[in-house]
Amino acid sequence: MKRFTKLADVADLAQLLDRAFECKRSPHAWRNLGAGRTLGMVFFNPSLRTRVSTHRAATLLGMDVVAMTVGSDSWALETRDGAIMDGSAAEHIREAAAVLGRYVDVLGVRSFARLHDRDEDYAETILERFVELSGVPVVSLESATRHPLQSLADVMTIEQFKRSSRPRVVLTWAPHPRALPQAVPNSFAEWTLAMGYELVIAHPPGYELDERFTRGATITHDQDAALDGADFVYAKNWSSYRDYGKILSHDQNWQITPEKMALTRDGFFMHCLPIRRNVIAADAVLDSPRSIVVEQAANRIPAAQAVLRTIVEAL
Ligand code: SN0
């Protein structure tokens, strides 16, 4: 695998999932595979799970790891071509990406949607600059439009807990005080549809996601109807795609409560984390045995390990 930035970069999803479960069962079985190789990770945005789990995955493969946060432990980077760099950014992405490509064998990049210019975000300008300029395989650590390492862990978690071959998976919008990207729901739809699950997406009017990700899903504005019979409830906030980056609703009736979970088929609760308690979901949901958010986060290590294994094998 030459890059891991979207589902289409994966030649064989079933094989990648098998590899992820192999890594979960035998995390130490590939101790020498990455010896002498280095993973670099560049973060334009904060991270807890992605940073630690991907680092762990790399060290389990025997790789060295260098991680940095742009602007605090590296220089602030200018990303616009032709910019007159007399402001706060000391370095241009052109030099930074090219130099990192000489220092590391695989490069992870986190660059969230800025939520100002939809075309720019959906063109993945920053991620693609790193791909183009570094010359090494790039792993998305959440880009403007997708979060594939999260989706692989999400699919692992559904496979682990599912009670039927085609579970009913409900992706529901939930309120949030800030405008968040569509990356997690886009990717979740992309991967769960590829798995052949029954995907129902519930959100208030105006929160329709980009159709390129959701074709094949059932889309509804009725959260209760969506939750009826659900095996998995995946809550997530996102800002509007249509009215790009805007918050159109703060409706607390969309919060996941024990009453909402009671509509499901004894469903499991999932979220990518970080989660705002008593905004996205009530304490009683997160603290119930039906919540699998921590197991889901634990699966980030074997997911990242399977991806890095596949990339390192092809170096
Ligand atoms: C990010 C997002 O894409 O929604 C990362 C999720 C893995 N989430 C946030 O930025 C949450 C920030 C907040 O203030 O709650």
Side-chain angles (χ1 to χ4, degrees):
M1 192 159 51
K2 291 273 182 280
R3 56 187 277 173
F4 181 76
T5 63
K6 55 183 179 306
L7 180 68
D9 297 333
V10 177
D12 186 339
L13 172 56
Q15 186 198 55
L16 184 64
L17 256 179
D18 284 346
R19 286 175 162 232
F21 280 111
E22 278 171 10
C23 290
K24 189 175 167 83
R25 280 191 305 274
S26 313
H28 301 286
W30 294 272
R31 274 281 178 205
N32 301 316
L33 182 73
R37 303 290 191 181
T38 300
L39 169 71
M41 290 196 285
V42 175
F43 288 90
F44 286 84
N45 316 93
S47 175
L48 186 153
R49 276 147 295 278
T50 300
R51 184 161 179 163
V52 178
S53 64
T54 310
H55 191 134
R56 261 308 272 149
T59 54
L60 284 167
L61 296 171
M63 302 178 81
D64 294 319
V65 182
V66 188
M68 68 190 72
T69 302
V70 174
S72 57
D73 41 39
S74 79
W75 304 108
L77 295 184
E78 176 58 63
T79 57
R80 291 166 303 154
D81 275 331
I84 297 169
M85 290 175 54
D86 59 358
S88 56
E91 179 155 20
H92 200 278
I93 192 171
R94 283 182 172 269
E95 283 74 41
V99 168
L100 285 169
R102 303 295 282 268
Y103 292 165
V104 305
D105 301 283
V106 182
L107 191 59
V109 178
R110 164 161 285 194
S111 171
F112 287 0
R114 290 169 171 169
L115 298 177
H116 300 304
D117 179 337
R118 186 169 91 175
D119 290 342
E120 190 180 303
D121 284 346
Y122 275 69
E124 293 286 11
T125 31
I126 295 187
L127 183 72
E128 291 303 332
R129 297 312 290 286
F130 276 100
V131 170
E132 176 197 325
L133 298 162
S134 73
V136 297
V138 168
V139 174
S140 166
L141 305 173
E142 185 174 339
S143 70
T145 67
R146 291 174 173 90
H147 193 358
L149 284 174
Q150 180 67 49
S151 304
L152 177 56
D154 294 343
V155 165
M156 282 183 78
T157 310
I158 293 172
E159 288 299 295
Q160 194 183 327
F161 286 90
K162 74 180 187 185
R163 298 158 297 194
S164 61
S165 59
R166 188 167 185 261
R168 179 174 169 89
V169 177
V170 177
L171 167 63
T172 179
W173 182 93
H176 196 283
R178 296 177 49 212
L180 298 187
Q182 295 109 28
V184 170
N186 283 345
S187 257
F188 185 75
E190 186 166 66
W191 286 66
T192 53
L193 288 166
M195 289 298 292
Y197 305 147
E198 178 190 355
L199 178 65
V200 181
I201 306 177
H203 55 70
Y207 279 100
E208 288 71 18
L209 293 163
D210 181 346
E211 278 179 4
R212 286 173 291 183
F213 295 93
T214 61
R215 207 165 291 127
T218 303
I219 297 165
T220 175
H221 298 153
D222 184 342
Q223 191 189 44
D224 286 0
L227 293 173
D228 183 24
D231 295 300
F232 295 91
V233 179
Y234 196 103
K236 183 71 186 85
N237 173 268
W238 62 88
S239 60
S240 176
Y241 173 73
R242 198 190 288 168
D243 198 356
Y244 194 64
K246 297 286 184 305
I247 298 177
L248 309 177
S249 170
H250 286 284
D251 189 351
Q252 283 299 313
N253 291 318
W254 283 77
Q255 182 183 138
I256 301 298
T257 58
E259 293 71 33
K260 298 272 186 184
M261 290 303 290
L263 300 171
T264 70
R265 203 168 69 91
D266 204 15
F268 293 104
F269 178 81
M270 298 177 71
H271 189 279
C272 62
L273 307 180
I275 189 164
R276 304 243 185 173
R277 280 176 171 253
N278 305 310
V279 179
I280 296 278
D283 282 337
V285 171
L286 280 161
D287 298 331
S288 87
R290 305 315 290 170
S291 169
I292 53 174
V293 296
V294 173
E295 187 61 25
Q296 184 186 348
N299 282 334
R300 295 292 306 276
I301 295 179
Q305 199 182 349
V307 168
L308 291 173
R309 231 180 97 191
T310 309
I311 289 175
V312 168
E313 277 174 6
L315 281 176

